[in-house]
Amino acid sequence: MQTVAVTPRGYTPPIIPDQPVYVYQPQKDPKKKIFGQLFVTVIVGGAVGAAIALGVVISQNGGIVAFWNKFSPFNKSVAKVPFYFLADSAFEDIEKANLRVEKLKSLGYKEAGVFWIPDYPNLGSNKFQQVYTSQFKDIESCKSKLKEHLKFVEDAYCALASPNEKDPVQRISGSDIQQLTASPSPLPTATPSKTPTTTPSPTRPSPEQAVRDYYSLINDRQFQNAWQNLTPKFQRDRAGGYKTFTDWWQTVSQVSINGARIVESKENSAIIDIDLTYRKDKAIFPETLRMSLVWNESSKQWQINETQRQ
């Protein structure tokens, strides 16, 4: 088969004039070169300087985490406000406190929680984790729930937790509720008598009243009279002598009785639980003591023989 030539015979290709080719030439102006280098140096130097300065600030503020916490809006502490709470128990160990909270929630106390007592100075500075069943806006609401919770925890009480150390605790225990709800007994009517009668022997004061009189003497700084309300055994073994006794009570500004409950009462002995609050300067320390009292016939008074923290 005959082939056909790609270019016909006698064809002359057109002539294309030469086009100039652009070749990049670097800047040869020394001033522009120096300015460019200086500009880059300033930018790099500024960034390095800022990084060094930031590192110094962070190190002075306790590290990157502490520095971030100061500026992060998610880490701002919430201001504490006063609230009433129904106290269930207190623990030194936060893990035990959390276990108690979980137990309360499983029993239906959905609002149970815990707080660190020193965060609310009006309660004192005891380093305990306070477990509560719920919070309230007023003391009356707390009292209604306290009556129910006393069936499970005898030492439960209502109180006010406040960041203001001058606010009163307003503690209400089960014994206080019993005193408020108890109906007063009618006063006996005196029957006139024309015949002379013998003078009746004075009746013994109640053990509870004896304890209240004892702490009244302490508050009045009548330490010598208060010392006589202790048995010789207690004076020796527990009080550690009269000087130790007076030195310790001198550190207490005031002691208040928040509640008293008779555990056992016999003719010449009694056991009573006392809810106390000690005030030392601006600090407040709550405590519950179980006291054993004996009747001293010669001095005609109840004397404290033993005490035990509850």
Side-chain angles (χ1 to χ4, degrees):
M1 180 181 293
Q2 295 293 328
T3 61
V4 179
V6 176
T7 303
R9 296 177 182 178
Y11 173 76
T12 302
I15 299 175
I16 301 174
D18 294 337
Q19 297 292 331
V21 179
Y22 177 78
V23 179
Y24 170 75
Q25 296 293 332
Q27 297 289 339
K28 295 184 179 181
D29 189 346
K31 293 182 179 181
K32 294 182 179 180
K33 181 177 181 181
I34 292 174
F35 178 78
Q37 294 175 348
L38 180 61
F39 181 72
V40 173
T41 302
V42 170
I43 293 176
V44 174
V48 173
I52 294 174
L54 181 61
V56 172
V57 172
I58 291 175
S59 63
Q60 291 178 348
N61 285 273
I64 186 65
V65 175
F67 181 76
W68 170 254
N69 289 338
K70 288 187 176 182
F71 292 94
S72 173
F74 303 102
N75 293 293
K76 301 299 182 182
S77 59
V78 180
K80 297 181 177 62
V81 296
F83 63 91
Y84 293 92
F85 66 95
L86 176 52
D88 173 83
S89 52
F91 300 88
E92 289 183 323
D93 189 350
I94 183 60
E95 294 183 359
K96 293 181 179 179
N98 289 332
L99 289 175
R100 179 58 182 171
V101 171
E102 294 301 321
K103 178 64 176 179
L104 288 172
K105 289 183 177 180
S106 67
L107 295 174
Y109 295 96
K110 301 302 181 182
E111 299 179 358
V114 61
F115 64 84
W116 181 236
I117 289 180
D119 286 344
Y120 296 89
N122 77 313
L123 297 175
S125 57
N126 284 344
K127 301 184 183 303
F128 284 92
Q129 305 287 344
Q130 179 64 63
V131 177
Y132 60 88
T133 64
S134 50
Q135 297 183 10
F136 305 90
K137 294 182 179 180
D138 54 74
I139 194 69
E140 294 300 325
S141 301
C142 184
K143 283 169 58 178
S144 62
K145 295 296 183 181
L146 174 60
K147 296 177 182 179
E148 302 175 5
H149 198 57
L150 287 171
K151 300 175 183 177
F152 308 101
V153 180
E154 295 181 356
D155 294 335
Y157 62 90
C158 291
L160 173 67
S162 173
N164 184 1
E165 63 182 3
K166 296 183 179 180
D167 286 345
V169 178
Q170 303 181 34
R171 173 170 169 159
I172 295 180
S173 61
S175 59
D176 298 324
I177 293 180
Q178 293 174 0
Q179 292 177 2
L180 292 174
T181 56
S183 58
S185 56
L187 296 176
T189 304
T191 303
S193 176
K194 295 181 180 180
T195 58
T197 57
T198 58
T199 304
S201 60
T203 58
R204 293 183 182 181
S206 67
E208 178 184 348
Q209 186 60 45
V211 173
R212 293 183 182 275
D213 293 342
Y214 168 74
Y215 286 112
S216 179
L217 293 172
I218 294 294
N219 288 331
D220 293 338
R221 293 299 187 258
Q222 299 184 32
F223 297 132
Q224 184 63 46
N225 292 334
W227 179 254
Q228 302 304 320
N229 288 358
L230 309 176
T231 64
K233 174 186 175 183
F234 191 95
Q235 293 174 349
R236 181 185 65 252
D237 299 337
R238 295 286 295 174
Y242 182 71
K243 186 177 186 306
T244 303
F245 171 78
T246 55
D247 288 346
W248 189 88
W249 279 116
Q250 288 287 0
T251 65
V252 179
S253 305
Q254 186 180 17
V255 56
S256 302
I257 297 180
N258 304 313
R261 298 172 296 280
I262 297 292
V263 178
E264 181 181 282
S265 180
K266 297 181 179 179
E267 182 180 359
N268 294 318
S269 64
I271 299 176
I272 184 171
D273 285 348
I274 301 290
D275 298 323
L276 303 172
T277 300
Y278 303 97
R279 182 180 294 276
K280 294 185 177 182
D281 294 330
K282 297 181 180 180
I284 297 176
F285 304 93
E287 183 179 59
T288 298
L289 290 179
R290 173 158 292 184
M291 288 186 172
S292 297
L293 293 85
V294 294
W295 176 255
N296 188 324
E297 185 63 30
S298 61
S299 61
K300 303 296 182 181
Q301 66 176 358
W302 288 101
Q303 291 182 324
I304 301 173
N305 191 47
E306 293 180 359
T307 60
Q308 183 179 5
R309 288 187 176 91
Q310 294 297 100

